[in-house]
Amino acid sequence: MNNARPPRSQQSQVVRIALAAGALPLAVAGVGAVAVWSWRDDLPSRVATRWGADGANGFSTPASVGWLLLGTGLLVAAAGLALALLARDEPALARAVSGTAAGTSGFATALVVASVERQRGIADSAVTTLPGWMVGSALVAASVCAAVAVWLVPPRSATPSTADAERFRLPISATERVVWTRSVATAGVPTVILVAGIGVTAVVGMATGTWVLVVVAALLAALVALMISIRVTVDRDGLAITGRFGWPRQHTPLREVHRADVAMVRPIRDFGGYGYRIAALGPLRGASGFVLRGGPALVVERVDGRRMVVVVDDAATAAGLLNVLVEQDVSR
Amino acid sequence: MLIRLDPDSAEPLFAQLASAVRGAIARGDVDTGERLPPARDLAESLGLNVHTVLRGYQVLRDEGLVDLRRGRGAVVTAGAVDGQAALRQGLVDLVTHARRLGLSADELVGLIRTEYR
């Protein structure tokens, strides 16, 4: 999908970032605030804005809800804009920040607007509830906003580095059938923490009867199961990274690979944590990928300038093979 | 693990595959209980027929190096790793002994070759 394009001007990139991380979150919240304001005659003088296990327990006037929504949108947009502009040289990061800002604003707005809309035309807001599906649909709205923001900020089309010095190379003849494959599992400590966290969530949910928590725990458990170990494969089709059960699947064809290298990765320091990450600081800034544990990692610089990372044993052989296969790729 | 197959070699591809996996187990590239890639995926990566890969896996199963289980695929057995570990240990002992006797690597290799015949 992302082939090399002509270089985009710095200015146009900044404008797009401003739109995605600033204007969009603000606009979404603004629309929500206007909607709430337009219903003010339909609503009780105090609307429910907070719910606990036993019903509504926090109330505000419709006007305050509108202002709060606007204020939230402003805050999210300001923070998002600042962070995204700081990261304007690393499109992967700028996209992630923009998506988060837009998604956060989208989620808050959708939830507030839906819960307030439900209280139109009723006299006493104390008996209203917050149905579970509202949270679900707010998440959907958030995803849509995030997707739009990410779409607005394109990945960089940089000219890749021309340094040919010391490329890993594995001498393979063009007629050989060859494959390099390894599996990687999430490091022990993060796994224990994840599982413990999910367990606690489930237990708390069941003990208090908050079934949303149990559902969340089940979803998390499914996600963890999918990502707890991955298989990394290098062959004449390119680089493929698949989850334990076949999904998620990330495939990079040979023609999109510029060069492969090895780097030492320290998860907390370079990526801020474990899992599928994007680096915000450090030598791997802008690179995204699978950091299931620390150690040697395969770093792939793509033709479009993006860098991908996957921590796996014997990364040097993988890099050597990938570089040679790229050389032998006749379709270039 | 790295698998390289030479289609021009006289040795059939499934046998080359089995050798490659055997070597990977010996080097410790795969551990006890680890699953080998599904036959279908490996066949696709190497441009082989699925049955060729399965045949290679069956050779390994017959040698006791992997277990073939429905739904789980080919899993490296403890015996495989232990067997290779024992070999590796024997090798270390052999080399130590040879050094003490003042044998060069080439001389030791010559002795090994003789033993193989």
Side-chain angles (χ1 to χ4, degrees):
Chain A
M1 184 183 104
N2 294 306
N3 304 312
R5 295 188 210 137
R8 200 171 290 281
S9 74
Q10 175 81 315
Q11 217 177 359
S12 129
Q13 187 81 344
V14 167
V15 165
R16 283 168 167 269
I17 288 177
L19 278 175
L24 181 59
L26 190 57
V28 166
V31 165
V34 165
V36 169
W37 178 249
S38 73
W39 298 328
R40 66 190 182 282
D41 295 327
D42 269 348
L43 294 164
S45 56
R46 289 185 339 141
V47 295
T49 53
R50 203 171 68 234
W51 287 264
D54 47 357
N57 57 19
F59 303 86
S60 317
T61 63
S64 340
V65 171
W67 284 119
L68 203 65
L69 203 49
L70 206 56
T72 306
L74 209 61
L75 211 66
V76 169
L81 192 60
L83 288 172
L85 285 178
L86 274 177
R88 64 181 171 277
D89 291 328
E90 296 296 338
L93 199 49
R95 296 178 106 200
V97 171
S98 306
T100 307
T104 307
S105 179
F107 181 75
T109 305
L111 201 53
V112 168
V113 165
S115 60
V116 166
E117 204 276 339
R118 227 172 117 80
Q119 298 175 56
R120 290 174 72 186
I122 64 172
D124 180 13
S125 56
V127 299
T128 56
T129 56
L130 186 72
W133 62 259
M134 232 176 244
V135 177
S137 52
L139 280 173
V140 170
S143 307
V144 170
C145 293
V148 171
V150 167
W151 171 78
L152 275 172
V153 184
R156 167 176 54 197
S157 54
T159 29
S161 60
T162 48
D164 268 324
E166 297 182 68
R167 230 179 248 230
F168 285 88
R169 288 186 80 258
L170 195 71
I172 300 279
S173 81
T175 54
E176 276 184 69
R177 312 280 176 93
V178 62
V179 64
W180 177 95
T181 181
R182 283 253 183 176
S183 60
V184 193
T186 310
V189 171
T191 304
V192 168
I193 294 176
L194 260 177
V195 171
I198 293 172
V200 166
T201 309
V203 167
V204 166
M206 287 191 275
T208 62
T210 337
W211 299 108
V212 176
L213 279 184
V214 180
V215 169
V216 166
L219 283 174
L220 280 177
L223 269 175
V224 167
L226 285 177
M227 289 269 290
I228 201 77
S229 97
I230 56 173
R231 179 164 280 282
V232 186
T233 304
V234 174
D235 58 26
R236 292 195 188 274
D237 284 332
L239 170 68
I241 303 172
T242 22
R244 175 78 167 74
F245 298 102
W247 189 87
R249 186 167 194 275
Q250 186 186 84
H251 183 247
T252 310
L254 279 186
R255 66 175 174 281
E256 290 178 19
V257 174
H258 176 62
R259 65 177 280 173
D261 266 311
V262 175
M264 279 302 292
V265 166
R266 298 153 300 186
I268 306 284
R269 256 215 269 184
D270 295 328
F271 285 90
Y274 293 79
Y276 187 77
R277 318 286 303 181
I278 297 180
L281 309 161
L284 291 165
R285 186 184 159 101
S288 63
F290 296 86
V291 183
L292 295 192
R293 59 167 207 243
L298 175 65
V299 179
V300 173
E301 193 184 325
R302 294 169 47 112
V303 163
D304 61 17
R306 286 191 281 170
R307 276 194 300 176
M308 283 172 38
V309 161
V310 55
V311 177
V312 65
D313 282 338
D314 195 23
T317 308
L321 179 61
L322 197 49
N323 281 324
V324 168
L325 290 181
V326 164
E327 281 173 20
Q328 292 176 0
D329 184 22
V330 292
S331 70
R332 297 165 91 92
Chain B
M1 72 178 157
L2 181 69
I3 297 175
R4 300 167 63 164
L5 307 180
D6 180 7
D8 298 326
S9 160
E11 199 187 355
L13 289 171
F14 77 87
Q16 289 185 48
L17 177 65
S19 291
V21 175
R22 226 178 276 125
I25 295 174
R27 280 187 301 272
D29 293 343
V30 273
D31 212 351
T32 315
E34 247 192 79
R35 281 181 4 144
L36 298 180
R40 192 176 3 107
D41 295 349
L42 203 57
E44 207 184 312
S45 291
L46 292 166
L48 298 176
N49 196 306
V50 175
H51 298 292
T52 310
V53 175
L54 283 172
R55 200 161 164 207
Y57 278 9
Q58 278 154 9
V59 167
L60 296 168
R61 186 223 23 223
D62 294 340
E63 290 173 3
L65 295 179
V66 303
D67 271 335
L68 290 181
R69 304 192 212 151
R70 289 190 80 79
R72 279 268 289 163
V75 176
V76 177
T77 59
V81 174
D82 290 345
Q84 299 291 357
L87 179 68
R88 224 175 299 137
Q89 194 49 53
L91 211 61
V92 168
D93 294 340
L94 186 66
V95 169
T96 313
H97 204 137
R99 276 207 176 107
R100 228 181 288 136
L101 290 176
L103 287 178
S104 74
D106 285 335
E107 285 166 334
L108 179 59
V109 168
L111 288 175
I112 294 174
R113 281 199 215 284
T114 318
E115 197 55 41
Y116 254 97
R117 278 189 224 112

